[in-house]
């Protein structure tokens, strides 16, 4: 059995008294939004973004490294907190597995965090599906808004990999019954992490902001071509009720008792891929160092943080940690470590392009040889990149002390980094896409399909032509083709469609064949998960 600190002791590390949190278990709590406005909490901590090189299917230990770094900072006497995303059941039971870290660097209670936790995902799923039900009900009861049933873009959602639900037909009518608006309409499910409600909750900065964002969600258009919003269906209030508790960040701890918040879980390949803005802002008020993981590699979650989340929220990162591994670099050139360095070099360049100080974290795996690790060190040194070996999985805080010290040194040497973005807020959408494609991904040009052009023209006509962009693409390549390895050049980014997330406040630019509802693999992680005779969940990690 794991021995965890009572949540009161974790909260005390942050000077939080019981009126600022609500216990959900002996080892977890919900944080009160009032602390955002309380003048006693004003540490103005350094925000450190953790990103990575292009991952393998099993990941490169970015979460483990983030947790270990927070533990390492606490071990060297710094007040630190981790801000992490909530795991989705899709990967937990699918291919990648749980997302609570591993070894001696986990967020705890790991099994509960990986599963239902405090019900946040359930609340998000319910709010999303309530809006879908209200749309169908409106059509059934006369369609007062004159909604065009064929234009409805709001699907259903489920936090589980289930390929059978990708495409469905709703409101099926018997052949001898009168056809109503909405009868026999195509629809589908997406995974909850891809829901706009998830993105909205992650970006909302207050209850008032959440209400405003929910109200402006666009679910389709009427027969005159005008947008129809959630507010038009009087859906805002009931969705607020479902999300009221889910808006509160979850306070937990790491394996070694370091404070951590786990809140929201948008994917980074199909959404913006980071924990909630509220949890990050709370962290910066409560601690001197806030460690925040961004999803997948620097071309995805990190770029979206710097170009979208930071400008929208006002948060300013102080440094970045780029996690890499021998296996990641090797895979980028079919097993040749040194030929795979082009990928690492490109990710270093991406981070530097935003003006952030950088530390490369070399995450050590058991099979790594001394020669391989030395080769990575030599490459980083030759390219002027600060680096440190991380053994957080095997050793916890002790294995991340070197990394923690290096992060502190880099921040102290660069106290006021001049941050930049890839594009300007008033750039046209196509120019924004092109700048990200060329500067970040290394593409030569961008090609929009006819469908994407039509969607962009419609959204521009509705007044959304100046929104920032969130490009949805594969995580397994810098390009839109998962088979293109290294740092490919001479290719074109193909935009197949553009979707509107008016509530979240961005346009989703879909490149390639993005899967919004994954399926389970032939041998899924679910097959190894069980409960022992004592009621303990096993096989999760």
């Amino acid at each position: 059995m794991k021995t965890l600190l009572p949540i009161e002791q974790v909260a005390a590390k942050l000077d939080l008294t019981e009126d600022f949190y609500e216990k959900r278990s002996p080892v977890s709590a919900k944080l009160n939004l009032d602390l955002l406005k309380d003048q006693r909490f004003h540490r103005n901590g350094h925000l450190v973004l953790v990103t990575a090189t292009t991952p393998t299917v099993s990941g490169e230990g970015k979460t483990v490294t983030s947790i270990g770094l927070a533990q390492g900072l606490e071990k060297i006497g710094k007040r630190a907190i981790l801000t992490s995303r909530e795991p989705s059941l899709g990967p937990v039971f699918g291919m990648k597995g749980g997302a609570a870290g591993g070894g001696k660097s986990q967020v705890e209670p790991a099994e509960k965090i990986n599963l239902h936790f405090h019900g946040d995902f359930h609340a998000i799923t319910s709010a999303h599906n309530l809006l879908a039900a209200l749309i169908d009900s409106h059509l059934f009861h006369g369609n007062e808004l004159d909604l065009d049933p064929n234009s409805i873009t709001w699907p259903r959602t489920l936090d589980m990999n289930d390929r059978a639900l990708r495409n469905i037909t709703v409101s099926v009518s018997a052949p001898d019954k009168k056809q109503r608006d909405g009868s026999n309409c195509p629809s589908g499910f997406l995974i909850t992490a891809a829901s706009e409600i998830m993105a909205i909750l992650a970006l909302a900065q207050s209850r008032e902001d959440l209400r405003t964002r929910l109200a402006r969600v666009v679910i389709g258009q009427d027969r005159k071509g005008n947008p129809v919003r959630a507010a038009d269906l009087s859906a805002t209030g009931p969705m607020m009720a479902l999300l009221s508790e889910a808006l509160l960040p979850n306070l937990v701890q790491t394996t070694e008792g370091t404070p951590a918040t786990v809140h929201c879980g948008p994917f980074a390949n199909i959404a913006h891929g980071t924990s909630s803005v509220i949890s990050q802002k709370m962290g910066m008020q409560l601690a001197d160092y806030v460690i925040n993981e961004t999803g997948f590699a620097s071309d995805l979650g990190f770029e979206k943080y710097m170009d979208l989340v930071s400008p929208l929220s006002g948060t300013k990162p102080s440094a970045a940690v780029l996690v890499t591994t021998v296996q990641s670099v090797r895979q980028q050139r079919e097993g040749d470590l040194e030929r795979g360095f082009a990928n690492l070099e490109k990710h270093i360049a991406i981070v530097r392009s935003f003006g952030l100080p950088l530390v490369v974290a070399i995450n050590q795996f058991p099979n790594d040889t001394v020669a391989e690790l030395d080769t990575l060190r030599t490459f980083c040194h030759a390219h002027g990149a600060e680096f440190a070996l991380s053994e957080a999985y095997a050793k916890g805080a002790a294995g991340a002390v070197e990394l923690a010290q290096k992060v502190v040194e880099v921040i102290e040497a660069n106290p006021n980094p001049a941050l930049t973005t890839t594009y300007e807020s008033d750039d046209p959408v196509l120019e924004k896409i092109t700048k990200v494609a060329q500067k970040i991904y290394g593409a030569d040009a961008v090609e929009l399909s006819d469908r994407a052009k039509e969607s962009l023209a419609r959204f521009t006509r509705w007044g959304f032509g100046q929104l920032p962009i969130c490009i949805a693409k594969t995580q397994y390549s810098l390009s839109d083709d998962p088979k293109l390895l290294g740092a490919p050049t001479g290719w074109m980014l193909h935009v197949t469609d553009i979707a509107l997330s008016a509530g979240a406040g961005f346009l989703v630019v879909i490149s390639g064949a993005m899967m919004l509802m994954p399926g389970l693999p032939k041998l899924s992680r679910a097959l190894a998960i069980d409960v022992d005779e004592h009621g303990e969940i096993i096989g999760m990690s």
Side-chain angles (χ1 to χ4, degrees):
M1 292 290 292
K2 300 171 184 174
T3 302
L4 301 179
L5 296 177
I7 197 62
E8 293 86 352
Q9 291 186 28
V10 178
K13 292 185 176 186
L14 303 170
D15 295 332
L16 286 173
T17 54
E18 290 188 7
D19 52 327
F20 285 106
Y21 61 90
E22 302 170 10
K23 287 180 65 175
R24 289 294 185 270
S25 78
V27 293
S28 64
K30 283 279 189 180
L31 292 175
N32 195 317
L33 296 183
D34 289 343
L35 73 83
L36 284 170
K37 300 177 182 178
D38 197 297
Q39 295 303 310
R40 287 172 289 179
F41 306 109
H42 52 78
R43 299 186 78 92
N44 196 28
H46 296 289
L47 179 63
V48 180
L49 300 183
V50 180
T51 183
T53 50
T54 301
T56 60
V57 293
S58 57
E60 306 317 306
K62 184 154 44 67
T63 303
V64 167
T65 303
S66 300
I67 297 167
L69 174 56
Q71 294 177 155
L73 285 163
E74 189 175 56
K75 188 174 181 66
I76 64 174
K78 307 298 181 182
R79 180 180 287 197
I81 188 171
L82 173 80
T83 54
S84 179
R85 289 177 295 167
E86 292 184 57
S88 164
L89 292 181
V92 168
F93 290 107
M95 182 177 294
K96 195 172 181 181
K104 293 186 177 181
S105 293
Q106 296 188 72
V107 281
E108 301 286 1
E111 288 78 13
K112 293 184 183 297
I113 291 171
N114 272 321
L115 297 178
H116 306 292
F117 200 23
H118 292 158
D120 294 351
F121 268 61
H122 169 75
I124 294 165
T125 301
S126 298
H128 183 115
N129 290 336
L130 171 64
L131 180 54
L134 288 171
I135 294 168
D136 284 353
S137 178
H138 183 86
L139 292 170
F140 182 84
H141 290 292
N143 194 7
E144 183 180 346
L145 294 172
D146 199 27
L147 260 171
D148 179 359
N150 295 314
S151 78
I152 293 170
T153 54
W154 194 258
R156 265 77 175 170
T157 190
L158 181 72
D159 188 37
M160 187 63 65
N161 290 355
D162 193 343
R163 61 174 55 85
L165 295 177
R166 288 172 187 164
N167 299 290
I168 64 171
T169 300
V170 297
S171 302
V172 178
S173 299
D176 57 340
K177 295 290 182 69
K178 179 182 178 182
Q179 294 284 313
R180 296 177 180 268
D181 274 348
S183 296
N184 304 312
C185 281
S187 186
F189 278 74
L190 44 73
I191 196 163
T192 300
S195 165
E196 186 182 349
I197 304 297
M198 176 68 81
I200 286 172
L201 199 72
L203 290 169
Q205 301 189 52
S206 65
R207 278 203 170 86
E208 295 76 15
D209 187 26
L210 176 61
R211 182 182 296 276
T212 299
R213 290 174 179 275
L214 291 173
R216 72 187 189 210
V217 166
V218 172
I219 58 92
Q221 65 183 26
D222 62 23
R223 287 189 169 95
K224 294 181 180 178
N226 302 309
V228 177
R229 296 171 172 82
D232 299 324
L233 295 160
S234 300
T236 311
M239 286 196 290
M240 283 291 297
L242 285 167
L243 296 169
S244 183
E245 292 278 319
L247 182 63
L248 308 178
N250 305 291
L251 179 65
V252 290
Q253 62 190 287
T254 72
T255 311
E256 299 183 359
T258 303
T261 58
V262 180
H263 197 216
C264 297
F267 286 161
N269 54 348
I270 50 183
H272 66 277
T274 192
S275 63
S276 72
V277 167
I278 285 179
S279 69
Q280 295 161 29
K281 289 197 168 185
M282 284 183 176
M284 294 171 78
Q285 290 184 215
L286 296 170
D288 298 320
Y289 292 89
V290 180
I291 310 305
N292 183 57
E293 178 189 351
T294 60
F296 294 121
S298 71
D299 56 312
L300 288 168
F302 177 78
E303 179 274 322
K304 293 169 184 178
Y305 196 99
M306 299 302 296
D307 283 331
L308 195 157
V309 179
S310 180
L312 288 178
S313 67
T315 55
K316 301 292 184 184
S318 296
V321 170
L322 179 70
V323 179
T324 194
T325 62
V326 169
Q327 66 179 3
S328 168
V329 177
R330 275 191 180 284
Q331 179 172 291
Q332 289 304 306
R333 271 298 180 262
E334 299 175 340
D336 190 314
L337 182 62
E338 294 195 14
R339 289 180 62 220
F341 280 147
N343 185 263
L344 173 56
E345 183 177 11
K346 177 60 175 175
H347 286 289
I348 290 173
I350 290 171
V351 175
R352 285 174 169 169
S353 71
F354 290 96
L356 265 186
L358 167 72
V359 177
V360 176
I362 303 171
N363 186 29
Q364 183 173 352
F365 277 62
N367 295 331
D368 295 343
T369 67
V370 173
E372 290 170 333
L373 295 172
D374 284 344
T375 301
L376 280 177
R377 290 189 184 99
T378 300
F379 178 86
C380 292
H381 181 75
H383 287 76
E386 298 289 348
F387 61 90
L389 188 69
S390 175
E391 297 179 86
Y393 183 93
K395 300 179 180 178
V401 164
E402 179 188 353
L403 176 60
Q405 291 172 332
K406 187 65 68 174
V407 167
V408 172
E409 290 173 9
V410 165
I411 291 175
E412 289 179 349
N414 302 273
N416 297 298
L419 304 183
T420 62
T421 55
T422 309
Y423 53 80
E424 301 298 325
S425 60
D426 58 353
D427 286 343
V429 173
L430 182 56
E431 186 173 346
K432 290 173 180 173
I433 300 170
T434 302
K435 285 182 176 179
V436 172
Q438 293 179 338
K439 295 180 180 181
I440 304 300
Y441 305 156
D444 277 359
V446 171
E447 180 183 66
L448 269 63
S449 69
D450 290 341
R451 182 173 179 176
K453 292 175 183 177
E454 291 171 3
S455 297
L456 179 56
R458 180 169 64 257
F459 301 147
T460 302
R461 185 174 71 251
W462 289 350
F464 299 110
Q466 296 301 319
L467 289 181
I469 60 169
C470 177
I471 299 182
K473 76 170 190 70
T474 179
Q475 67 267 36
Y476 296 122
S477 172
L478 283 161
S479 74
D480 57 4
D481 179 355
K483 296 180 181 180
L484 281 180
L485 304 178
T489 58
W491 59 278
M492 180 176 291
L493 182 77
H494 300 282
V495 176
T496 54
D497 200 1
I498 297 177
L500 173 63
S501 290
F506 53 74
L507 294 171
V508 181
V509 179
I510 302 169
S511 178
M514 284 307 303
M515 190 60 65
L516 301 183
M517 171 52 82
L520 290 173
K522 184 176 182 179
L523 297 175
S524 70
R525 293 273 186 160
L527 304 180
I529 297 173
D530 205 340
V531 178
D532 67 17
E533 63 272 20
H534 306 292
E536 298 293 323
I537 298 168
I538 58 176
M540 186 70 70
S541 59

